[in-house]
Amino acid sequence: MNWFTTPLGAGGAHRATVPGCRRVLVVVPSVVAGTRLLDLLPLLDGDFRVQTYFTQPEPDESTARFIRAVGGLVVPWEMALQHEFDLVLAASYRFVEKAPGPVLVLPHGAGAVKSRQRVRAAGSGARPVHGLDRQMLVRDGRVPASAIVLSHDDELRLLARSCPEALPAAVVAGDICLDRMRASLPFREQYRRALGVGPGDTLVTISSTWTAESAFFRCPELYRELPTTARVAAVLHPNIWAVHGEWQVRSWLANCDVIVIPPEEGWRATVVASDVVVGDFGSTTAYAAAVGARMLLATCPDVRRGSLADKLREAVPRYAGDLTDAVRVPGFAELVSSRLDQSGAILRATMYRLLGIPEPAHAVPVSPVPHAR
């Protein structure tokens, strides 16, 4: 991308066919963050007053491929920092203190409170933290985020204890990912057909987060054993693909008769299409329980007491060779979100408040998720 062909920079206004737009910057440090932020962008659809830009704060080829595939207007991070934006969208607290404009931070998983006890990179000796710790939210004595999106009222109460100075920025908005999955439930049969799953087939999805505590590492035998009794889909955390590479992931699964779901999109449709989900402590497992899937756990390490993963560990049996042991977890959607099916409206109102312009008159779209490609 040649910087000088964008509406930014010297002479940018003369190049623009639609001049005078409010500027929105989407900060994509990883595929995980990027996939979540894509749920926000339809809230801006149809608005000729808004121009959206994408930027990548640090080099990573898988993230760069993801951004290119989106087809957005990409500007280098160093150049983005030289301009002011009317709204910055983020799904990670990394780089937030540098954001060149009012920033809205969205959780990039189920809930703003992490299930893990400690930051992975810090080692077992580090003190426990959660996603709303003061050390996460405060930089140089201030809260740089203008809007901190929370999924649940319980998170607001936790924030009041852990970082009260962040309360003015807090917005309890529910979970837009979950709302889209709920809107997708009527299309279950279409998703199954897109996966090649027949009417009489049982579809089992193995959901794995990343790291050596994940189902992918702890229970690799599942990817060979389960296809003997059912159709099986493998949903792997995008960080597995990013760290090890697409070739390696597909090589590891080459002798397994499984449908490998790409990391960018398709996992939500696959979960909706599934008869049983065998998961671990990752967010995909929580979302599966929240949309009413029958559940089994492959593994679940030491997690935060009271977290979503902890509640699943209490309610869901471990897989022991029999899929009929799978159970549903009634009421789990209400544990993930206290604003079910309202997230889009709350988030759009927040985004336009930060943009400083009125919301569009049309209704907020809640579109079903795309099928796996």
Side-chain angles (χ1 to χ4, degrees):
M1 165 62 66
N2 184 343
W3 173 258
F4 295 101
T5 64
T6 75
L8 296 174
H14 299 294
R15 292 187 290 270
T17 299
V18 182
C21 290
R22 291 292 203 273
R23 299 170 176 175
V24 176
L25 182 67
V26 184
V27 181
V28 188
S30 66
V31 173
V32 178
T35 55
R36 182 52 57 95
L37 292 170
L38 289 187
D39 281 341
L40 288 182
L41 299 187
L43 303 178
L44 302 171
D45 280 354
D47 196 335
F48 274 66
R49 301 171 297 169
V50 176
Q51 165 75 58
T52 301
Y53 303 82
F54 293 78
T55 191
Q56 182 180 349
E58 59 187 9
D60 175 74
E61 181 54 32
S62 61
T63 305
R65 285 198 304 269
F66 171 83
I67 297 174
R68 287 195 297 269
V70 169
L73 182 60
V74 181
V75 297
W77 174 244
E78 295 77 12
M79 295 295 187
L81 294 178
Q82 297 176 23
H83 294 267
E84 280 297 316
F85 291 82
D86 300 288
L87 173 62
V88 179
L89 301 177
S92 166
Y93 285 98
R94 296 168 61 204
F95 310 106
V96 164
E97 70 278 8
K98 298 180 180 179
V103 58
L104 179 150
V105 186
L106 193 74
H108 60 253
V113 180
K114 301 177 185 299
S115 291
R116 297 295 292 118
Q117 294 271 23
R118 296 171 175 82
V119 176
R120 290 180 175 93
S124 59
R127 77 175 183 85
V129 297
H130 54 71
L132 297 176
D133 274 298
R134 188 175 187 278
Q135 62 180 301
M136 294 280 291
L137 305 180
V138 174
R139 298 287 188 275
D140 298 325
R142 69 181 186 92
V143 177
S146 298
I148 298 171
V149 176
L150 308 177
S151 302
H152 205 282
D153 290 322
D154 289 346
E155 296 175 348
L156 187 65
R157 289 186 279 270
L158 175 60
L159 183 66
R161 298 193 301 270
S162 64
C163 189
E165 59 266 55
L167 281 174
V171 179
V172 182
D175 189 308
I176 194 166
C177 176
L178 176 57
D179 286 357
R180 291 194 67 193
M181 293 179 74
R182 285 165 58 88
S184 304
L185 291 171
F187 304 98
R188 181 173 185 269
E189 291 305 319
Q190 289 94 314
Y191 295 139
R192 288 172 66 86
R193 287 196 296 271
L195 290 166
V197 177
D201 293 337
T202 297
L203 176 63
V204 178
T205 292
I206 307 172
S207 163
S208 178
T209 189
W210 62 303
T211 79
E213 295 177 316
S214 67
F216 188 66
F217 181 73
R218 292 287 182 90
C219 307
E221 69 280 0
L222 292 181
Y223 298 90
R224 292 184 175 85
E225 293 175 1
L226 282 172
T228 63
T229 58
R231 297 294 309 277
V232 175
V235 170
L236 306 178
H237 194 285
N239 283 353
I240 299 176
W241 297 81
V243 172
H244 295 286
E246 179 179 351
W247 179 88
Q248 185 61 73
V249 170
R250 294 192 182 279
S251 175
W252 279 329
L253 294 173
N255 296 326
C256 307
D257 186 18
V258 299
I259 306 165
V260 183
I261 306 301
E264 299 84 7
E265 187 56 89
W267 68 269
R268 296 182 288 191
T270 302
V271 165
V272 169
S274 297
D275 296 294
V276 177
V277 174
V278 182
D280 55 17
F281 60 98
S283 289
T284 300
T285 308
Y287 283 124
V291 294
R294 294 169 55 222
M295 305 296 301
L296 289 165
L297 287 182
T299 182
C300 190
D302 182 30
V303 293
R304 181 178 303 284
R305 187 174 179 82
S307 67
L308 293 174
D310 184 47
K311 291 170 182 176
L312 280 178
R313 184 169 58 177
E314 293 176 350
V316 176
R318 292 290 184 98
Y319 173 69
D322 190 348
L323 293 174
T324 63
D325 292 337
V327 299
R328 292 186 173 89
V329 187
F332 200 78
E334 289 78 8
L335 298 179
V336 176
S337 167
S338 58
R339 302 291 188 275
L340 284 174
D341 305 321
Q342 303 173 55
S343 187
I346 298 170
L347 287 169
R348 191 176 78 169
T350 303
M351 291 163 66
Y352 276 89
R353 171 174 61 82
L354 296 176
L355 283 168
I357 54 177
E359 286 187 73
H362 62 260
V364 176
V366 184
S367 55
V369 300
H371 61 71
R373 293 180 175 87

